[in-house]
Amino acid sequence: MSLALEVDDLIVDYGSTRAVDGLSLAVEAGTVQAIVGPNGAGKTSTVETCEGYRSPSNGSVQVLGLDPVRDARSLRPKVGVMLQSGGVPSGARVRDALTHLASFYQSPQDPDQLIEVLGLGKVRSPFRRMSGGEQQRLKFAIALIGRPELVFLDEPTAGLDAHGKRIVWDVVEGLKAEGVTVVLTTHSMEEVERLADRVAVVSAGRVIAAGTPAELTATTTPLVDFRTSIAIDQKELQAALPPGSVLLGSEDLQYRVTGDQSAEILAAITTWCAAHSINIVQISTGHRGLEEVFIELTAEPETS
Amino acid sequence: MTVDQLDLRPAPGAVSTSRIVLAQTRAELRLMMSNGEQLLLTVIIPLALLVGLSTLSWIDLGTDAGTKRVDVVLPGIIALAVMSTAFTAQAISVGFDRRYGVLKLLGATPLSRTGLLTAKTLAVLIIEAFQIALICGVGAVLGWRPTGSPLTALLLVIAGTAAFSALALAMAGVLRAEATLAAANAVFLFLMVAGGTVIPRDRMPDWLGTFGELLPSGALGNGLRAVMIDGALFPVWSFVVLGVWFLAGALIAARTFRWE
């Protein structure tokens, strides 16, 4: 399998500040790679180095087998970039901006088709007066206009309504189906679970966890969540649970049990509730979501 | 049209550099033309000054009985028009392009930095051609007749454009976008008045006249007047002053200019 992106032991320094500290990442061609991490973790510096905006202080970056700075001329036509903010002249209108950029490429996307699919057909205002969602969809369209092999998307659905998100996600899935590699920076774990083949969690300039979204969540202990109609005696239920499992209560009749034997835990909960004539309003088993795994992974280390 | 009807297969490839530069030039022109304030600055103000100074005889231009007012006024108006486009409009456009990440996004497209600078320069030259045609046309209606070497005048306009563009980039490099907007207009006004762009230097106090001659605006105005009124063949002093300002501007721009 060929690699569309290969970051090897990347270091990016700004003066005396180290933004990226030995980050490595390999993205297979035709896959969707998510990069997540708290603000200031080094995501943007990494991606901008891949986009050729800055040179590595140390380490190396290869994009589609090319050096983003040295081979910029041959690389730029193959790569689409969606910046987090701006990028469009404040006075430019949707169609002008897209037709203009399309004219740089030999066989670009048809601006009118993109405009229609992304629901920008009715937008008449210049960029500075567009709503956040409209600006976002236009920037997304710009990243696709040159029919790139590889697309960098920086928070593509930030500020979009549910409908807008759905369209962007459908397009990203379409890109992947056609073999386009997508590198996605995002804060939305919902987006990662929906789109990403692999996810890299970046913190303090390094990848601290990587894998498929399922791999990342599977390492955590299984759990059972349930809600009852009336409050339960938590001590009594805890005593009835299989050894090794822990009951966590909350204020609004919502409880969680963590433990490895989910079948036994389920049985214990239902038996105990039946014996005490307590109705179970809702019950489910699963792993902790990516959101919680992410927060735990990137939490500030306790100062004890 | 739905998402699944969109052809998302990759088909990367850029057109030739010259086509990209021309496409960018068109976009620059469209943006400049759609900006009302810039049109006011580059077209309306120079024309209003041309008509006003040529017809309002109570403004003393020091013209002899035999000289037509429009002949004295017109070269300075051309200098003003060049300054408004190559300096003020250029500084504002570059400052805001950078502020809004336009330069950054273009940096990810097949348009190179040299290509972008070429396109911006071409756009400036095209607008200047329009301005000068308009000024000469209106001037002709007011009785102006071309004199002097058109080639030298053209060379002066090009030298002026180079100096003002370099200064515009230097200013956009040093200042933030909002400050650039304010300063571009303030410096324009200062250069216009102190440089004696419009009012001939011999109508100004001596000290201001000498100072003004060292400004790029004064050098261009005086140079154009020397060629277009007095028939000078090559106003060396103007070319030297404009050349020095070009070098200074280019040096500062090269050191300070950031694309993002």
Side-chain angles (χ1 to χ4, degrees):
Chain A
M1 198 48 103
S2 71
L3 292 179
L5 180 72
E6 200 175 4
V7 179
D8 192 23
D9 213 9
L10 175 69
I11 289 177
V12 178
D13 289 328
Y14 301 110
S16 60
T17 317
R18 180 150 291 187
V20 180
D21 187 14
L23 186 145
S24 298
L25 185 69
V27 181
E28 276 177 20
T31 63
V32 178
Q33 169 78 52
I35 301 178
V36 300
N39 293 324
K43 302 186 298 288
T44 304
S45 299
T46 302
V47 171
E48 289 193 345
T49 311
C50 298
E51 292 162 347
Y53 286 120
R54 56 193 87 260
S55 296
S57 305
N58 219 326
S60 73
V61 172
Q62 290 259 303
V63 180
L64 300 171
L66 298 167
D67 180 306
V69 177
R70 213 183 47 231
D71 308 321
R73 244 182 108 81
S74 24
L75 184 59
R76 279 198 201 119
K78 299 179 180 177
V79 173
V81 170
M82 176 180 182
L83 298 174
Q84 202 181 108
S85 61
V88 183
S90 61
R93 284 160 215 279
V94 172
R95 201 168 181 287
D96 290 344
L98 280 175
T99 344
H100 166 48
L101 291 170
S103 66
F104 290 178
Y105 300 92
Q106 277 165 9
S107 35
Q109 282 288 349
D110 178 357
D112 292 318
Q113 289 187 1
L114 273 182
I115 287 171
E116 195 185 329
V117 168
L118 293 173
L120 290 166
K122 292 201 178 69
V123 182
R124 294 275 170 272
S125 27
F127 189 71
R128 65 172 172 276
R129 281 206 290 274
M130 289 179 201
S131 72
E134 289 164 354
Q135 293 188 342
Q136 197 75 350
R137 278 175 283 158
L138 175 56
K139 289 188 295 174
F140 181 66
I142 286 173
L144 309 184
I145 196 75
R147 286 183 185 275
E149 272 175 55
L150 169 67
V151 192
F152 290 101
L153 301 176
D154 199 347
E155 298 189 30
T157 56
L160 286 188
D161 59 19
H163 181 66
K165 267 184 199 167
R166 166 60 67 78
I167 295 174
V168 168
W169 289 348
D170 285 351
V171 173
V172 171
E173 278 168 350
L175 287 168
K176 185 186 151 188
E178 297 292 359
V180 177
T181 311
V182 179
V183 177
L184 171 77
T185 321
T186 185
H187 286 299
S188 158
M189 296 306 141
E190 188 193 2
E191 190 159 285
V192 174
E193 280 173 325
R194 162 91 189 243
L195 296 178
D197 294 302
R198 297 183 65 82
V199 52
V201 182
V202 175
S203 178
R206 297 164 166 272
V207 175
I208 54 166
T212 64
E215 281 168 359
L216 253 65
T217 48
T219 53
T220 61
T221 323
L223 47 84
V224 177
D225 280 316
F226 65 104
R227 194 146 58 87
T228 52
S229 52
I230 53 167
I232 60 169
D233 184 333
Q234 293 189 38
K235 261 187 200 150
E236 212 176 300
L237 173 59
Q238 174 71 64
L241 288 172
S245 43
V246 180
L247 172 68
L248 304 158
S250 72
E251 285 167 10
D252 48 356
L253 308 175
Q254 183 79 45
Y255 304 92
R256 165 173 285 186
V257 179
T258 60
D260 287 323
Q261 313 136 285
S262 58
E264 283 89 340
I265 293 170
L266 266 177
I269 294 170
T270 48
T271 311
W272 186 86
C273 286
H276 290 80
S277 304
I278 291 170
N279 280 334
I280 297 175
V281 178
Q282 179 266 327
I283 190 161
S284 65
T285 63
H287 287 283
R288 282 185 303 162
L290 201 52
E291 184 90 47
E292 288 172 72
V293 173
F294 169 74
I295 287 171
E296 187 184 285
L297 278 168
T298 56
E300 294 286 315
E302 304 263 343
T303 46
S304 52
Chain B
M1 186 95 200
T2 58
V3 174
D4 15 306
Q5 287 168 278
L6 208 56
D7 181 6
L8 294 167
R9 284 173 302 173
V15 296
S16 69
T17 307
S18 53
R19 278 181 64 189
I20 293 176
V21 170
L22 286 181
Q24 185 62 29
T25 309
R26 270 199 304 276
E28 298 284 346
L29 281 173
R30 194 169 46 226
L31 281 173
M32 281 199 195
M33 309 276 216
S34 66
N35 186 327
E37 292 132 57
Q38 294 208 358
L39 277 184
L40 177 75
L41 188 78
T42 54
V43 176
I44 314 283
I45 292 180
L47 284 184
L49 279 171
L50 175 67
V51 174
L53 290 172
S54 302
T55 53
L56 302 175
S57 52
W58 48 265
I59 303 172
D60 182 13
L61 296 174
T63 39
D64 313 323
T67 337
K68 275 180 292 189
R69 293 175 65 90
V70 66
D71 289 344
V72 179
V73 172
L74 191 130
I77 298 295
I78 290 181
L80 185 76
V82 167
M83 189 163 77
S84 69
T85 302
F87 178 71
T88 310
Q90 180 87 316
I92 292 174
S93 124
V94 172
F96 274 82
D97 275 3
R98 194 175 51 143
R99 166 84 164 71
Y100 291 118
V102 178
L103 296 181
K104 187 172 180 181
L105 186 76
L106 286 174
T109 70
L111 175 70
S112 65
R113 290 176 175 190
T114 328
L116 179 64
L117 280 187
T118 312
K120 282 195 180 286
T121 310
L122 279 176
V124 164
L125 289 173
I126 290 170
I127 294 207
E128 284 176 358
F130 272 115
Q131 289 175 298
I132 293 172
L134 214 62
I135 289 167
C136 291
V138 173
V141 172
L142 295 170
W144 171 77
R145 291 296 172 265
T147 48
S149 156
L151 183 68
T152 314
L154 184 69
L155 283 178
L156 272 171
V157 165
I158 290 173
T161 304
F164 286 121
S165 293
L167 290 171
L169 289 182
M171 195 165 77
V174 175
L175 302 177
R176 285 180 306 115
E178 291 77 4
T180 301
L181 177 66
N185 285 310
V187 173
F188 173 78
L189 229 94
F190 167 77
L191 285 176
M192 176 174 95
V193 175
T197 318
V198 181
I199 308 290
R201 181 194 150 210
D202 51 19
R203 308 305 301 161
M204 297 163 55
D206 270 352
W207 63 270
L208 189 59
T210 315
F211 170 68
E213 246 176 277
L214 296 172
L215 293 174
S217 49
L220 183 59
N222 291 337
L224 284 173
R225 272 190 291 271
V227 173
M228 297 173 73
I229 300 173
D230 309 327
L233 278 181
F234 197 81
V236 182
W237 183 241
S238 289
F239 280 107
V240 168
V241 172
L242 289 174
V244 169
W245 280 104
F246 167 73
L247 286 177
L251 210 70
I252 298 175
R255 277 170 170 273
T256 59
F257 195 76
R258 296 284 172 271
W259 292 80
E260 44 178 291

